[in-house]
Amino acid sequence: MYDKSAFKIKNNPVILGIESSCDETACAVLRGRKILSDEIISSAAVQAQYGGVVPEIASRAHTDAVDEVCRRAVKNAGISYGDIDAVAVTYGAGLLGALLVGLSFAKALAFTLNVPLIAVNHIRGHISAAYLDDDTLKPPFITLLASGGHTAILHTKSFTEFEVLASTSDDAAGEAFDKCARVLGLAYPGGPNVQRLAAQGDANINFPSALVKNSAHTQFSYSGLKTSVINYCHNLEQKGEVVPRADVAASFQQAALNPLADKTVEFARRYGVTTVTAGGGVIANDYLRGRLLQKCSQSGIKLILPEKRYCTDNAAMIASEGYNQYMAGNFADMDLNAVAAIPLKQSVEQ
């Protein structure tokens, strides 16, 4: 019988992580912080035919893939299911149907193996991707979170405690990239396609910065930037002029990302921390990575950037956050349910 109060915390545990919040069905196995395996089965190619993720298609794809991807992860880790000490799974935020597939499988696996079930917030998973790059990393540090659903700067005080220093008041950076891509006629996913186009252009268009000025608190806003890009392109089209798509992409990218890097390093100096980390799909952007490196180097701050594959949705980051929660003894009950939306403030305080 599953009884979370009876589980003992082990040193260097083997943790299996499952991620199914969007269009990636992923499973990874970690021993402590060391990645033993990391497997992904993606439905992104199918979703691209519809210009974005279709929840029902994503859920069906997860149902078909979850058992196979976990079998692969266990086999490639060189272990058996009996060696697993805990099962960590994304319970939110994300597409509700997609989350339920991974969560249901994780519950069944944890119950069968009689090991702890660990509930992982997807947002905190992105933050914990930094530990995969440096297993000696310890808080405090400043974290830049930039994904499709959230954009924020956090003060990571401990392995389980965070403070929100800045956030977006409307769209997230990843959403803005997708919307800019649509205006420019680029395929889904927008982020990498905007980046590729931007590399061919010059940032010579004066789009508004994503940083909200004259605010009592540091805030970002992508609504005005998005609207500015749309209006600029439409005005040229109505006059029969050619839209300089590469220059638009480069100018948008600069206006969207420079404030994130600059403010992150500014907060690091203000709080007297010597390390900056980053997480979320937007952190895979080469321009942003370069800007962060430049600003951190100028300030003598250590920068830890996860590999690009661990910036986008993956199960290794879920297992990494699962390790944090495992060592803190935060085990979930079997009545754990999926949650489609988790406010950022709640995400860092839970």
Side-chain angles (χ1 to χ4, degrees), residues 39 44 102 118 137:
E39 300 294 323
I118 301 174
L137 174 65

Side-chain angles (χ1 to χ4, degrees), residues 4 7 30 32 68-69 78 94 107-108 223 231 240 262 274 316 338:
K4 71 175 186 178
F7 296 123
L30 269 62
E68 174 63 23
V69 78
K107 283 183 179 181
S223 179
N231 289 340
D262 298 353
T274 57

Side-chain angles (χ1 to χ4, degrees), residues 198-221:
Q200 305 169 30
D202 297 315
N204 53 18
I205 304 170
N206 187 26
F207 290 136
S209 168
L211 178 65
V212 177
K213 297 181 179 179
N214 304 319
S215 173
H217 304 284
T218 299
Q219 281 188 314
F220 303 105
S221 172

Side-chain angles (χ1 to χ4, degrees), residues 271-317:
Y271 279 76
V273 301
T274 57
T275 302
V276 161
T277 72
V282 180
I283 305 302
N285 180 280
D286 287 331
Y287 179 86
L288 178 56
R289 293 169 81 91
R291 183 77 176 189
L292 281 168
L293 181 60
Q294 176 192 34
K295 302 300 289 188
C296 285
S297 296
Q298 291 173 349
S299 299
I301 294 171
K302 180 180 179 181
L303 174 64
I304 296 178
L305 289 175
E307 293 180 32
K308 290 182 181 181
R309 65 178 298 184
Y310 298 126
C311 294
T312 54
D313 290 354
N314 65 91
M317 71 180 192

Side-chain angles (χ1 to χ4, degrees), residues 52-291:
V53 178
V54 180
E56 177 64 20
I57 294 175
S59 298
R60 290 178 181 274
H62 288 307
T63 303
D64 292 339
V66 64
D67 180 60
E68 174 63 23
V69 78
C70 287
R71 287 179 184 274
R72 288 186 197 174
V74 170
K75 179 181 178 181
N76 292 336
I79 64 169
S80 67
Y81 277 107
D83 296 319
I84 295 170
D85 295 311
V87 176
V89 61
T90 306
Y91 78 97
L95 302 174
L96 193 58
L99 289 165
L100 284 169
V101 175
L103 178 56
S104 298
F105 189 91
K107 283 183 179 181
L109 186 58
F111 184 87
T112 301
L113 299 176
N114 195 31
V115 298
L117 175 70
I118 301 174
V120 174
N121 183 317
H122 185 82
I123 299 165
R124 295 172 74 103
H126 277 305
I127 297 169
S128 292
Y131 299 113
L132 301 173
D133 189 76
D134 183 354
D135 60 6
T136 66
L137 174 65
K138 293 182 180 179
F141 46 82
I142 298 296
T143 300
L144 170 60
L145 171 65
S147 68
H150 290 86
T151 299
I153 299 174
L154 310 172
H155 183 201
T156 304
K157 298 179 178 181
S158 70
F159 290 112
T160 57
E161 183 183 9
F162 307 85
E163 176 188 359
V164 180
L165 304 178
S167 61
T168 177
S169 59
D170 40 59
D171 289 355
E175 288 178 281
F177 267 86
D178 283 337
K179 290 173 181 176
C180 179
R182 290 193 195 102
V183 174
L184 295 175
L186 301 175
Y188 172 87
N193 290 318
V194 170
Q195 176 189 290
R196 279 190 286 270
L197 182 60
Q200 305 169 30
D202 297 315
N204 53 18
I205 304 170
N206 187 26
F207 290 136
S209 168
L211 178 65
V212 177
K213 297 181 179 179
N214 304 319
S215 173
H217 304 284
T218 299
Q219 281 188 314
F220 303 105
S221 172
Y222 287 93
S223 179
L225 173 57
K226 172 198 67 179
T227 301
S228 183
V229 171
I230 293 172
N231 289 340
Y232 179 86
C233 293
H234 286 181
N235 286 340
L236 289 180
E237 290 169 351
Q238 288 172 355
K239 291 186 290 186
E241 299 180 18
V242 176
V243 176
R245 295 168 66 251
D247 293 346
V248 170
S251 301
F252 162 81
Q253 184 172 253
Q254 178 174 284
L257 300 181
N258 278 8
L260 298 181
D262 298 353
K263 278 295 177 180
T264 297
V265 175
E266 181 182 313
F267 273 115
R269 293 197 300 264
R270 187 185 307 178
Y271 279 76
V273 301
T274 57
T275 302
V276 161
T277 72
V282 180
I283 305 302
N285 180 280
D286 287 331
Y287 179 86
L288 178 56
R289 293 169 81 91
R291 183 77 176 189

